[in-house]
Amino acid sequence: MITGIALRDGLISAANNILNYKNAVNALNVFPVPDGDTGTNMSMTMQAAKKAMETVTDDADASSVASLAASAMLRGARGNSGVILSLIFRGFADGLTGCESANGATLAAALQQGCNKAYQSVSNPTEGTILTVIRAAAEAARSNCTVDIDAADTFEAAYQGASQALLKTPEMLSVLKKAKVVDAGGQGLCYILLGMLSVFRSGEIIPCAEGEEAAPEETPVMTGEVIAAEEIRFAYCNEFIVKKKEGLTKTADELKAYLQTIGDCVVVVEDEEIIKVHVHSNEPGSVLTAGQVYGEFLSVKVENMKQQHRNAHWGAAGQAQQEQVVAPVEPKKPYGFVAVAAGEGFHDLFSQLGADEIVSGGQTMNPSTEELLDAILRVPAEMIYVLPNNKNIILAAKQAATLSQGRRTVILESRSVPQGIAAMLAFDPDEEDKANTAAMTEAMGRVRTVSVTYAARDSFAGGLNIKKGQCMGLEDGSITVVSDDPNDAALRTVRRVARRSASVITVYYGDSITPEKAQALTDAIAGRYSAAEVVAVNGGQPVYHYLISVE
């Protein structure tokens, strides 16, 4: 049987193992464009689970441990690979609901639920990816579990099935076969399963390799101003997670309403199984009593902020900061926007277009589900439109929408910043919701995006041999041009995309390009497309030398 403690330690071991091998997983990415990278995203997602596991006591059961880990991963998920991983563990947790411990049959069923959850999250599942690997793991577990088989044997069968499927991924995806590598997401999942198996089989937590372990990247949060201790109105910072009890009739909104009467900075977030609460109050006993009505505590933290402030002031406990957790705001207007973008220029532009919240991120910097959720909850609007502006952020945005406490949230699947800008320009505050959604979606469809970036690794893509450091021109994400000069790559790619009838071409230049170089490119494009309005805008974005919108 796999106990709650074994599962806790297994998840910690898994988080350590994927951290140890994250760079190896990153290196498997065959697409040379620098991105958030699979290994990094999967590792950061698992670090969220590890942090949650550090609160688990020795009497925890398998069900509560799995639920806590799944909730933490859901909020900490980054990139498509991280979101899919979190959904695998969400389904896995669903399969362990109510279990004090798990035998082989239960583990096999839970892995199957994890597989189902992952497949359901992808509109067009592609074989030869992490999906294939988790499906093979679930199938192998089911085939090898009997009434009397050891649970660890079942999990080992799952790991072996996953490993064998991983080796077959190059036969399923030609791009992997050409690059002579296996799928990065599938490899990451195998490292995670191996980390868990180490505990289930021998009781050993795989340690972090020397020099690898570092504090996980924290979700950026707003930090409070430095204030005097006597100015802190509510002394105790209370945080807890409750596993909902069966037959619960009270709603999380009722809990939130009560806590607002005895404190401030109230945040109440829930999913199917847990309620997470943060509140500043002078009545910690009342806070915990109210929470206990909803179910069993999975974690509790109460801190005296006045004492923390004094310790920080006198240096007794190092420098402390008062954390200001985002509280959902009441709607004050009909519409609002959340946009994801990197670069000061793009931040300013989205603000000018009316975006309420701008989440820093994009390629190489995929924001987590929780960062997107916090941004949604900060928007004081009845209807909130979210613009991910990157295909690798869409899944995380959708997950944030499911956690947004009933907020009416529409995810516009913008795959580039130019598409997001076009959507906001098409918004009409006098139109109905459906009409606006249709108009913004149509506007995104009219935009062709040219991207120019550098190759992060040697590769072969789109029939082109690409050397690390070369400039690449991409048409809506597909590499079509390689050059040693960013302006040459940009001009050649624009020529492939733009018709003579193009009406507007906007050149957004990044932090690696001087205004003079950007103007030279703009003049060259204008000389070829005399009927189009061609302008240069300082986007200030990292990674991409140019992002060019062609309409």
Side-chain angles (χ1 to χ4, degrees), residues 305-318:
M305 294 186 294
K306 288 187 176 181
Q307 188 61 42
Q308 284 182 329
H309 184 280
R310 296 185 191 107
N311 288 343
H313 179 73
W314 292 104

Side-chain angles (χ1 to χ4, degrees), residues 417-489:
V417 171
Q419 280 193 341
I421 291 171
M424 293 201 68
L425 288 171
F427 176 76
D428 185 346
D430 296 325
E431 288 288 348
E432 297 293 329
D433 300 343
K434 290 184 179 180
N436 262 320
T437 300
M440 288 187 285
T441 301
E442 182 183 354
M444 291 191 303
R446 292 195 299 266
V447 173
R448 297 292 304 278
T449 303
V450 169
S451 312
V452 177
T453 186
Y454 61 90
R457 56 184 67 86
D458 291 349
S459 182
F460 180 83
L464 301 169
N465 285 309
I466 304 167
K467 298 298 182 183
K468 182 178 179 179
Q470 282 190 301
C471 296
M472 302 176 296
L474 292 82
E475 302 173 21
D476 297 319
S478 298
I479 302 170
T480 55
V481 171
V482 177
S483 175
D484 292 326
D485 178 71
N487 277 26
D488 177 64

Side-chain angles (χ1 to χ4, degrees), residues 371-393:
E371 288 175 83
L372 295 168
L373 173 61
D374 286 347
I376 291 170
L377 297 180
R378 283 195 295 262
V379 176
E382 296 173 1
M383 169 70 80
I384 302 167
Y385 292 99
V386 180
L387 296 158
N389 297 334
N390 185 290
K391 67 178 183 179
N392 206 34
I393 301 174

Side-chain angles (χ1 to χ4, degrees), residues 11-27:
L11 289 164
I12 292 172
S13 180
N16 291 346
N17 206 39
I18 186 62
L19 177 62
N20 292 342
Y21 288 99
K22 71 175 182 179
N23 291 332
V25 175
N26 286 341

Side-chain angles (χ1 to χ4, degrees), residues 21 116-117 169 243 251 253 285 350 373 398 421 483 536:
Y21 288 99
N116 295 343
K117 198 83 169 177
T169 56
K243 184 179 185 297
T251 67
D253 285 341
F350 274 110
L373 173 61
K398 288 181 176 180
I421 291 171
S483 175

Side-chain angles (χ1 to χ4, degrees), residues 42-93:
M42 295 182 79
S43 177
M44 294 181 72
T45 302
M46 285 303 303
Q47 294 307 311
K50 178 180 177 180
K51 186 175 182 180
M53 292 302 94
E54 291 170 353
T55 69
V56 173
T57 58
D58 289 346
D59 59 349
D61 58 33
S63 176
S64 62
V65 170
S67 178
L68 179 58
S71 294
M73 291 173 68
L74 185 62
R75 289 163 174 76
R78 294 175 186 266
N80 287 348
S81 57
V83 172
I84 292 173
L85 179 63
S86 74
L87 290 170
I88 289 172
F89 277 91
R90 176 75 270 165
F92 183 77

